[in-house]
Amino acid sequence: MSIQVLKSGRRRQEELVGRYMQEIRDIAKGGFNRRELLKMGLVLGGAGLIELAGMRGFEPYWAHADNAIPFISPPNTPFVDPLPIPPTMRPVTLNPAPTKARNPNPAAGPGPVNGVPDVRGFTEGRVEPHQRWTQFGGASETAPGFNGTMLESVEQAVRFNFYPTRDGVPPSTIWTFVERSTGAVGPLRIKAQYGQPILHRIHNALPDDNGGFGRNQTTTHLHNGHTASESDGGPLRGFDKNHFYDYHYANVRAGFSLTNPTSSLNGRTVPGDVRETMSFLWYHDHEVDFTAQNTYKMLASFYTLFSNDILLDTDDETTGLRLPSGEFDIPMLFMDKVFDPVTGQLFFDLFNLDGILGDKMTVNGKIQPFLEVKRRKYRFRFLVGGPSRFIELFLSNGQPFYRLSTDGNLLPHTLVENSIRIAVGERVDVIVDFSDARAGDRIYLQNRLEQVNGRGPTGKIIAPDNVVEFRVVGDQVNDPSQIPTTILELPSTNVRIAQQRNWSFDRQGGAWAVNGKFFDQTISAFVKQNTAEMWNFKSGKGWAHPVHPHLEEHRILSRDNQPPPDFEVARKDMSVIGENVIGTRRTGGIRMFMQFRDWLGDYPMHCHNTVHEDHAMMILFKLVE
Amino acid sequence: MPASFADMPAAERRRRRFLNVALTTHEGKTVRFYDDLVKDKTVMLNFFYTNCVNEAICPLSTANLVRVQKLLASRMGRDVFMYSITLDPAHDTPKVLARYARAFGVGPGWLFLTGDAADLEALRRNLGYVSPDPVEDKDRSQHIGMLRMGIEPLERWAACASLARPEWIVQSLVRLEPRQAAQQNLQGGKSRL
């Protein structure tokens, strides 16, 4: 079943589906099992389904015919709930104080408050000591203490409704990050500043009962972070329930350890290369084999990194680049989901190998939310959280986006674009200017990219799916923010290439292989620290793969021996290969440049279609001295 | 239309996930897929056929899984079960399967299964052993070589390639178990391996 089928005669079909599902629900209440249902001809080949011609793959838990969406979610009333604004985490004092090596003391502090479970007595699951600990906030090599910003979250089960209450769909049990001190529920937001290291303590209070999918062993990856390997949240660094893990984020620019000890911008001198300044990161679970399930369950949040130290992206619209800030800087996490039409619960298709598509697009956890906007400029930060769907965003009134970043990294120049295509894991910062709108206007943020299976987008631009409604309110207001023309120069790629490596991403026996090999714990490449390499990505058979190497951003030097499009002349942490990844162009090969500098240890590179990732499309590389 | 939604107990949710078709083991026993093979068990399963010789994927996979079985020896048939389900029921009768199992030195706890062709086809789709390319999907020689593994009562399901290193396959299974994995080094605990 494709979205297109859904669009045609949608209403009639929804009525049919409603009637049919009511039958199924009644039967489920009656306690019949699947076998009996089959006998009754109600699930397979029954009259109900024949009537629903064209809706292959509709059958409950019969997920895999032609890789289609397994079934149709209950209908929702659009634009009832406001867009959830991710709460910004507040600094705390951690108890016990953080240590360089694994913390010898169990968690103390408050008992259960604000719906947060009691995590006292949890012990640290980290095994490796922090690298460069005292250089970035650690008080001592041996004694506890941290002189940076301390944050504390609890991964826990939460009852959460993706639907508006009036639709009568019961809340689902999700797993998400909850702030321990306030009980604020994810997606949360960490606001970080360069020069101010962060220690984020994450407690795992997830239950054994997973409600149908997911595993309560987790590892939190800060996506795009130039992070030490022990704090990177790699796939094999999972820790179990009733433990915590201290993630150390240095918030320092790449190159600080050797190639660019210091650099300057706007009269300020800082460690590292100012041209490596990052902006919009996110963190999510990365547990081996379970990244798709656990992230789908909502273990995902935002990390925005500001550069007030060089008066660039300052978090203040009266200074630096003067980008819209504060309440006018809003991140949006797009994740498509499916809900079981019988129970209304969030559903994950466990046995899919190709990629999972949902028929309901959620934004910060809500299906089709609205956002009241003032008549001024806004900075929106778009993040596609997967598992597998690419999107292409438009504004319904034809207004352009002023694009500031690719993969959350500031571009050399602002680009004016009418639509923006985003693959799983990618982030894009834009400015949208509502100052010419009238009060009462409704403007829609729309996804118009067709994707009918896990293979990747078709590249076709189709009838819009309105994902957010902007409601323009009030008079024109004073707006000190600006749309910059030039933003941040790119770092030089004029560095000696120490080595070339080829990586081929292929489907193999229904699993996903890199260079013909399936993921395991072996290291596929040893990279010498403080060198640059040229990596060539190849993809056969056209499947789209958003490839994500951890640690540092890379630069796309060429796509199929052609220069990349302007929005890819940027610092990338994702490179998408396959069919229809740029327009309807197929890319079979990418050449990219990457540096490996400040941290040691092993990091993964993987496909960010997380279903491919969980089915072996991942390798480990290791930085060595 | 304000819909009504049914509460579903975990047991029902688990049961709905699988077909409960009747299968015949290489030992000639009739079993129900869900009730007898999967329910309340830790399982690994794959699809194969004995005549898979062109690409030699099946015999290689079976040989690899024999190594897995050896690594799991003390647990096989006790709390870990392996199932290899044929894609070619017309040829793969219980007798043929028994011969195949003997040829590979398959031990207890690992069943080779056949059954009614339509049931097996339905089961294959149910378990996601399907290619999105219809031509490829019909071509038995290009079938999916994944090993599906799960702890059914905990609803923890993962998969890895049947040709992955046997040690990695075992690790992937052990990782699914509660309070094992990374913590076992720290706590001095021993896995049940």
Side-chain angles (χ1 to χ4, degrees):
Chain A
M1 175 204 70
S2 72
I3 291 297
Q4 276 177 318
V5 172
L6 260 182
K7 302 261 182 236
S8 63
R10 177 165 192 139
R11 200 169 153 172
R12 188 184 147 267
Q13 284 185 329
E14 281 193 350
E15 280 169 15
L16 283 171
V17 170
R19 242 182 19 233
Y20 184 58
M21 286 325 302
Q22 194 57 51
E23 274 179 48
I24 301 273
R25 278 183 217 113
D26 293 344
I27 291 161
K29 278 182 191 163
F32 292 88
N33 66 23
R34 272 204 62 87
R35 180 85 195 162
E36 287 157 335
L37 286 178
L38 284 172
K39 270 194 203 147
M40 292 160 76
L42 278 168
V43 175
L44 264 189
L49 272 193
I50 289 163
E51 234 185 294
L52 294 168
M55 306 187 86
R56 292 167 305 163
F58 165 67
E59 310 92 305
Y61 294 88
W62 201 265
H64 313 287
D66 302 310
N67 202 28
I69 294 173
F71 42 50
I72 295 170
S73 302
N76 70 291
T77 314
F79 317 123
V80 175
D81 285 336
L83 174 76
I85 304 298
T88 299
M89 291 191 72
R90 300 178 195 177
V92 294
T93 302
L94 290 170
N95 187 1
T99 47
K100 176 176 176 172
R102 186 170 81 92
N103 206 309
N105 296 310
V113 280
N114 300 325
V116 180
D118 194 351
V119 299
R120 287 174 299 183
F122 284 20
T123 50
E124 181 156 28
R126 181 170 55 100
V127 185
E128 306 146 292
H130 293 300
Q131 296 178 49
R132 301 183 182 277
W133 174 243
T134 51
Q135 194 176 348
F136 297 107
S140 147
E141 292 292 321
T142 48
F146 187 72
N147 304 316
T149 306
M150 292 182 272
L151 304 171
E152 192 169 26
S153 303
V154 179
E155 295 172 317
Q156 66 176 81
V158 170
R159 296 282 285 167
F160 180 84
N161 207 334
F162 296 87
Y163 284 77
T165 315
R166 74 156 71 155
D167 288 340
V169 180
S172 292
T173 301
I174 61 166
W175 289 357
T176 191
F177 298 102
V178 175
E179 186 171 41
R180 188 181 178 199
S181 62
T182 63
V185 171
L188 302 172
R189 177 175 185 175
I190 294 175
K191 278 191 171 183
Q193 283 281 1
Y194 272 103
Q196 298 174 18
I198 282 179
L199 195 293
H200 186 195
R201 177 167 296 171
I202 299 180
H203 299 269
N204 180 344
L206 296 168
D208 280 336
D209 176 7
N210 65 4
F213 62 94
R215 187 169 94 220
N216 59 350
Q217 185 182 74
T218 62
T219 167
T220 302
H221 171 51
L222 177 61
H223 184 122
N224 204 22
H226 296 171
T227 312
S229 50
E230 66 280 358
S231 288
D232 180 59
L236 300 177
R237 289 190 167 84
F239 66 105
D240 267 313
K241 70 165 187 182
N242 300 348
H243 291 79
F244 66 85
Y245 197 113
D246 282 355
Y247 293 91
H248 180 216
Y249 304 136
N251 296 326
V252 61
R253 295 170 180 87
F256 71 88
S257 68
L258 184 80
T259 60
N260 307 69
T262 60
S263 63
S264 303
L265 191 73
N266 298 327
R268 308 288 183 94
T269 300
V270 293
D273 186 344
V274 288
R275 298 167 299 180
E276 297 281 2
T277 301
M278 300 186 295
S279 195
F280 178 22
L281 300 76
W282 66 302
Y283 56 101
H284 63 85
D285 189 52
H286 207 309
E287 180 62 23
V288 61
D289 296 346
F290 282 83
T291 297
Q293 295 181 38
N294 285 356
T295 304
Y296 187 84
K297 251 177 138 71
M298 296 304 285
L299 284 171
S301 281
F302 303 99
Y303 188 100
T304 50
L305 181 46
F306 293 97
S307 39
N308 195 34
D309 60 343
I310 52 170
L311 297 173
L312 190 68
D313 186 2
T314 57
D315 195 20
D316 176 348
E317 60 193 29
T318 65
T319 61
L321 288 171
R322 302 183 64 172
L323 303 175
S325 300
E327 63 175 299
F328 309 109
D329 165 2
I330 299 174
M332 297 185 196
L333 167 61
F334 299 92
M335 295 180 94
D336 54 324
K337 298 192 184 291
V338 182
F339 299 87
D340 185 323
V342 176
T343 63
Q345 295 294 298
L346 182 63
F347 172 79
F348 185 92
D349 181 359
L350 283 168
F351 300 149
N352 181 302
L353 298 171
D354 299 330
I356 287 173
L357 300 180
D359 60 352
K360 294 292 177 193
M361 180 58 80
T362 66
V363 189
N364 294 348
K366 285 286 176 186
I367 306 167
Q368 291 188 297
F370 71 87
L371 177 70
E372 284 191 350
V373 293
K374 295 184 176 151
R375 295 174 56 193
R376 54 157 289 153
K377 293 186 281 301
Y378 278 75
R379 177 184 192 172
F380 295 128
R381 302 171 184 257
F382 302 139
L383 158 63
V384 174
S388 307
R389 188 184 288 282
F390 291 54
I391 65 174
E392 185 159 342
L393 294 174
F394 291 74
L395 288 163
S396 59
N397 60 354
Q399 196 178 322
F401 299 104
Y402 297 93
R403 178 175 184 154
L404 306 172
S405 80
T406 286
D407 297 359
N409 295 306
L410 296 170
L411 289 161
H413 310 279
T414 300
L415 300 172
V416 184
E417 297 186 335
N418 286 318
S419 71
I420 296 179
R421 188 172 299 184
I422 313 175
V424 184
E426 290 186 327
R427 288 93 51 229
V428 176
D429 291 73
V430 299
I431 291 175
V432 174
D433 188 353
F434 295 107
S435 58
D436 288 339
R438 286 164 312 191
D441 279 0
R442 300 274 195 273
I443 299 166
Y444 296 92
L445 184 65
Q446 308 179 314
N447 173 30
R448 298 190 57 184
L449 184 62
E450 183 184 62
Q451 182 164 354
V452 295
N453 57 36
R455 188 179 177 87
T458 65
K460 285 186 199 138
I461 299 303
I462 55 170
D465 178 18
N466 292 334
V467 294
V468 179
E469 179 179 80
F470 298 118
R471 297 181 183 167
V472 182
V473 294
D475 297 329
Q476 203 157 29
V477 290
N478 175 44
D479 180 1
S481 73
Q482 291 181 353
I483 301 172
T485 19
T486 59
I487 308 177
L488 182 64
E489 190 189 331
L490 287 168
S492 169
T493 55
N494 190 15
V495 179
R496 195 182 79 82
I497 301 295
Q499 190 154 356
Q500 287 212 34
R501 297 182 206 264
N502 298 318
W503 304 102
S504 159
F505 297 83
D506 287 305
R507 186 164 181 273
Q508 206 168 299
W512 301 97
V514 185
N515 286 353
K517 204 180 134 287
F518 302 113
F519 180 70
D520 65 22
Q521 79 281 32
T522 53
I523 304 292
S524 297
F526 290 90
V527 180
K528 203 162 154 35
Q529 190 184 24
N530 283 310
T531 60
E533 297 200 356
M534 181 105 75
W535 285 11
N536 303 310
F537 295 160
K538 255 179 49 190
S539 164
K541 296 182 186 166
W543 287 76
H545 300 300
V547 179
H548 173 50
H550 288 205
L551 185 58
E552 281 198 41
E553 295 92 71
H554 55 271
R555 292 276 293 281
I556 296 179
L557 300 178
S558 69
R559 279 190 173 274
D560 295 319
N561 302 315
Q562 302 291 316
D566 55 1
F567 58 86
E568 286 195 328
V569 181
R571 289 169 290 137
K572 300 279 296 167
D573 64 29
M574 309 274 312
S575 275
V576 190
I577 46 175
E579 273 168 13
N580 311 314
V581 292
I582 309 284
T584 51
R585 245 172 79 188
R586 172 172 177 171
T587 295
I590 279 178
R591 267 179 357 128
M592 67 87 140
F593 164 92
M594 183 165 166
Q595 298 191 76
F596 302 83
R597 289 180 279 189
D598 310 303
W599 307 96
L600 294 167
D602 62 285
Y603 295 87
M605 172 172 71
H606 59 89
C607 176
H608 221 299
N609 176 336
T610 46
V611 178
H612 296 181
E613 172 185 343
D614 286 344
H615 294 99
M617 195 167 247
M618 176 153 65
I619 59 107
L620 296 175
F621 62 92
K622 186 167 186 173
L623 266 74
V624 291
E625 285 178 286
Chain B
M1 162 190 77
S4 72
F5 293 89
D7 269 348
M8 191 175 292
E12 173 65 9
R13 180 176 65 221
R14 284 161 50 192
R15 182 147 43 105
R16 280 173 88 224
R17 193 167 280 138
F18 299 95
L19 286 182
N20 199 21
V21 293
L23 300 171
T24 309
T25 72
H26 69 281
E27 293 157 336
K29 232 177 106 186
T30 301
V31 288
R32 290 275 174 194
F33 179 70
Y34 182 70
D35 289 344
D36 301 325
L37 301 183
V38 174
K39 189 183 177 194
D40 296 328
K41 292 183 174 65
T42 296
V43 301
M44 302 203 216
L45 59 91
N46 71 339
F47 282 81
F48 87 112
Y49 61 109
T50 60
N51 267 340
C52 176
V53 285
N54 288 342
E55 302 284 325
I57 297 297
C58 287
L60 285 174
S61 298
T62 305
N64 200 44
L65 297 180
V66 167
R67 289 154 73 198
V68 172
Q69 185 182 36
K70 286 193 177 130
L71 290 172
L72 287 167
S74 63
R75 298 182 58 180
M76 285 297 302
R78 224 183 60 222
D79 70 336
V80 179
F81 298 85
M82 282 169 66
Y83 307 119
S84 294
I85 305 164
T86 184
L87 293 162
D88 184 9
H91 178 268
D92 289 346
T93 60
K95 259 188 192 150
V96 171
L97 294 178
R99 249 194 343 260
Y100 186 83
R102 253 199 323 277
F104 279 92
V106 163
W110 183 355
L111 296 175
F112 290 76
L113 298 153
T114 185
D116 172 73
D119 283 349
L120 288 174
E121 174 66 8
L123 189 60
R124 178 173 79 88
R125 294 192 165 271
N126 176 221
L127 296 171
Y129 282 73
V130 183
S131 165
D133 174 349
V135 177
E136 188 182 288
D137 193 51
K138 284 207 171 62
D139 180 358
R140 202 183 284 144
S141 74
Q142 294 194 55
H143 73 91
I144 295 201
M146 296 297 287
L147 183 69
R148 178 62 61 190
M149 54 179 74
I151 304 178
E152 195 278 333
L154 294 179
E155 298 176 87
R156 296 186 185 185
W157 290 96
C160 71
S162 305
L163 289 171
R165 290 160 197 262
E167 295 78 11
W168 178 254
I169 292 177
V170 171
Q171 276 181 42
S172 301
L173 182 76
V174 169
R175 269 202 315 267
L176 291 178
E177 298 174 341
R179 287 175 299 284
Q180 299 264 322
Q183 297 312 310
Q184 88 201 16
N185 305 329
L186 290 176
Q187 295 164 347
K190 282 214 159 88
S191 96
R192 281 181 284 151
L193 264 178

